[in-house]
Amino acid sequence: MLTKYLTGVTTAFSPFNARSGKTVRNFLALLPPNARSTMAIDVKMFGQSDAQKPATLSLKFKDGKELQLDLEKMKIKDIQVEVDRHSRILRRKDELSG
Amino acid sequence: MPPRLRFRLPSSQVGGGRAPYVCIQCRHASLASTITPAPTIHPTIAHYPPNQPPSHKPPEYRKSQLHRQYQSLLRSSPLILIFQHNNLKATEWTGIRRELSNALRKVDVELAKDGKEIIQTGILASALKVVEFWEPKYEADGQAAHPASPATDTSTAVQDARPDDAAEPIYTHGLSRLAWSTASRNAKTTRPPGSDLTPLLSGPLALLTFPTTSPQHLAAALSILAPTKEFPAPKRKVNAAYHEKAVQDGIAKLMLLGARVEGRVMDMAGTRWVGGIKGGMEGLRAQLVGMLSGVGAQVTTILEAAGRTLWVTVEGRRGMLEDEEKAKDKSGEQKVE
């Protein structure tokens, strides 16, 4: 997953939700070790009783585009595809300009 | 043409002095069959030494040994914290380990034998299933009756165990086939809702285990690993090493997911509640004793109160009578004068 062009990750989820919790935790594990110096990461976790609360994951890119991901339908592969699709556009722009 | 005479010899002459032909191999076989058959392997001889019981999965694999190790970890530590680690570097890990051990040493020297360990998630999940749903009755089964152990009497009747009978009920260790089948069957049928750790068991996990359920140590660990308002991190003046960049970066990437406290699953809030018990187990006991003795004191005061009021009224009445008598005496003296 191309994480170079991400500037912000905001998420709220419950780790006790077998579907969305796993997806978000997998996504956070994919961020590089120095992620906190290059992007703003805001993680909010619900408890066990709020496991069915809808989880949110919103991403911000360098060009200012914001992406809201629907965690009910998407799994980690789909999220990777979405992030890569926009990141490749940004990379192309970078290459052409620089 | 010579006459065709059928010349018949008497039958006794044919077989004459010779014994009837028997092939040598057959003779050996017939001889062998006459002797009592050699005993097959005696039933009391076990095929497995007591320290190497048959395993459901090949025991030489790392997975099997990890499975066994996790089972013992889960059984021996009543308090386990589960963290997710997101790409921590080695320097960050060492910094966090150092700070954690320092903090726990401050609480108590003896109890600071905690372990922090990165685990293989899938194997832990399987081991947890075995631990939760398989309860071998080691005491009841009588582990002493193992045929190959020197402690067993020779006269003890033991069950036969054959290599193809690895599912024999005498093998009740955690890696046995019986444990595996029972655990997986029970996990499907009787999984109580809400007491489930499975959604947590995915991705990169690390466990912090304590040999006892001690809230003081939990509080110390939480203030280092997951600082909040209730568990503030040590100040920069007190502990400068904690505020190094490597440690702070590492802590930002550790996420507290939940805990397993004495077999019960707790979320983040539940874990902090356990850590917030004032004074630990002793504190809880003191609270309970205080409450019970307070109730006792109230009962005694209530029971005493009736007697005391009676005594007070009687005393009051006596005082009144004495006063009256004194007054009478005085008036009598005055009259005499």
Side-chain angles (χ1 to χ4, degrees), chain B residues 217-301:
Chain B
H217 290 87
L218 180 59
L222 283 178
S223 71
I224 293 290
L225 296 172
T228 48
K229 257 184 204 169
E230 303 101 58
F231 301 101
K235 292 269 166 57
R236 191 182 290 271
K237 278 179 193 170
V238 180
N239 190 352
Y242 178 74
H243 291 275
E244 279 175 9
K245 189 171 181 297
V247 179
Q248 286 300 312
D249 283 356
I251 284 164
K253 284 185 270 181
L254 271 186
M255 298 195 307
L256 174 66
L257 295 182
R260 184 171 186 266
V261 186
E262 315 228 323
R264 289 187 59 194
V265 176
M266 299 250 178
D267 56 355
M268 292 77 73
T271 316
R272 298 211 165 97
W273 173 77
V274 172
I277 295 172
K278 286 275 179 291
M281 277 311 200
E282 268 62 48
L284 267 189
R285 281 188 202 115
Q287 277 182 22
L288 190 65
V289 168
M291 223 164 65
L292 290 176
S293 60
V295 169
Q298 276 181 1
V299 169
T300 46
T301 45

Side-chain angles (χ1 to χ4, degrees), chain B residues 1-322:
Chain B
M1 193 174 171
R4 285 185 174 173
L5 290 177
R6 290 184 183 271
F7 186 73
R8 294 193 62 169
L9 285 168
S11 60
S12 60
Q13 256 188 338
V14 174
R18 297 182 295 173
Y21 172 77
V22 189
C23 83
I24 292 172
Q25 284 179 343
C26 302
R27 187 189 303 172
H28 276 293
S30 66
L31 284 176
S33 69
T34 55
I35 300 171
T36 49
T40 51
I41 297 168
H42 200 260
T44 54
I45 296 175
H47 292 255
Y48 301 99
N51 54 356
Q52 289 175 357
S55 172
H56 173 56
K57 296 276 173 166
E60 63 272 19
Y61 287 173
R62 183 162 181 269
K63 272 186 178 179
S64 307
Q65 294 308 323
L66 278 179
H67 194 277
R68 206 174 64 162
Q69 191 187 333
Y70 291 158
Q71 276 182 38
S72 98
L73 185 78
L74 287 168
R75 281 188 208 281
S76 62
S77 43
L79 178 55
I80 300 175
L81 294 189
I82 302 169
F83 290 90
Q84 174 167 353
H85 56 96
N86 295 325
N87 291 323
L88 268 82
K89 291 177 185 166
T91 50
E92 293 163 358
W93 271 124
T94 48
I96 288 174
R97 277 173 199 269
R98 184 192 62 219
E99 290 309 313
L100 186 66
S101 60
N102 282 347
L104 292 178
R105 204 174 297 139
K106 260 181 212 167
V107 178
D108 190 355
V109 182
E110 274 187 25
L111 271 171
K113 287 176 195 152
D114 67 306
K116 192 159 174 41
E117 171 167 33
I118 300 174
I119 50 151
Q120 296 255 335
T121 315
I123 302 173
L124 180 84
S126 169
L128 184 74
K129 203 158 81 175
V130 169
V131 167
E132 282 197 347
F133 297 107
W134 161 244
E135 289 190 358
K137 296 179 183 67
Y138 288 128
E139 294 81 14
D141 277 355
Q143 197 74 337
H146 195 284
S149 105
T152 311
D153 294 333
T154 45
S155 57
T156 313
V158 281
Q159 280 175 304
D160 190 9
R162 296 224 166 73
D164 52 334
D165 286 352
E168 275 291 317
I170 68 162
Y171 296 113
T172 55
H173 57 289
L175 280 181
S176 63
R177 186 176 296 172
L178 190 65
W180 166 76
S181 61
T182 317
S184 45
R185 194 175 55 239
N186 286 353
K188 271 178 205 156
T189 52
T190 60
R191 190 183 276 285
S195 71
D196 203 357
L197 211 55
T198 42
L200 294 187
L201 297 179
S202 78
L205 290 190
L207 296 186
L208 177 62
T209 55
F210 295 91
T212 51
T213 312
S214 92
Q216 297 114 312
H217 290 87
L218 180 59
L222 283 178
S223 71
I224 293 290
L225 296 172
T228 48
K229 257 184 204 169
E230 303 101 58
F231 301 101
K235 292 269 166 57
R236 191 182 290 271
K237 278 179 193 170
V238 180
N239 190 352
Y242 178 74
H243 291 275
E244 279 175 9
K245 189 171 181 297
V247 179
Q248 286 300 312
D249 283 356
I251 284 164
K253 284 185 270 181
L254 271 186
M255 298 195 307
L256 174 66
L257 295 182
R260 184 171 186 266
V261 186
E262 315 228 323
R264 289 187 59 194
V265 176
M266 299 250 178
D267 56 355
M268 292 77 73
T271 316
R272 298 211 165 97
W273 173 77
V274 172
I277 295 172
K278 286 275 179 291
M281 277 311 200
E282 268 62 48
L284 267 189
R285 281 188 202 115
Q287 277 182 22
L288 190 65
V289 168
M291 223 164 65
L292 290 176
S293 60
V295 169
Q298 276 181 1
V299 169
T300 46
T301 45
I302 287 166
L303 291 177
E304 271 179 9
R308 192 173 292 156
T309 45
L310 187 64
W311 180 79
V312 165
T313 32
V314 170
E315 276 294 299
R317 182 65 188 153
R318 200 178 70 179
M320 275 170 61
L321 289 175
E322 279 178 357

Side-chain angles (χ1 to χ4, degrees), chain A residues 7-67:
Chain A
T7 55
V9 176
T10 311
T11 178
F13 69 99
S14 167
F16 286 89
N17 189 324
R19 193 178 169 90
S20 63
K22 266 186 198 176
T23 313
V24 175
R25 287 197 296 127
N26 283 337
F27 179 78
L28 291 174
L30 283 174
L31 299 176
N34 62 346
R36 270 155 184 84
S37 56
T38 60
M39 56 183 95
I41 296 178
D42 180 26
V43 179
K44 193 164 174 278
M45 283 198 281
F46 309 137
Q48 200 170 5
S49 51
D50 300 330
Q52 298 311 316
K53 236 174 162 179
T56 59
L57 175 63
S58 59
L59 307 174
K60 243 185 214 172
F61 289 89
K62 249 181 194 167
D63 63 340
K65 183 187 170 157
E66 290 195 20
L67 201 61

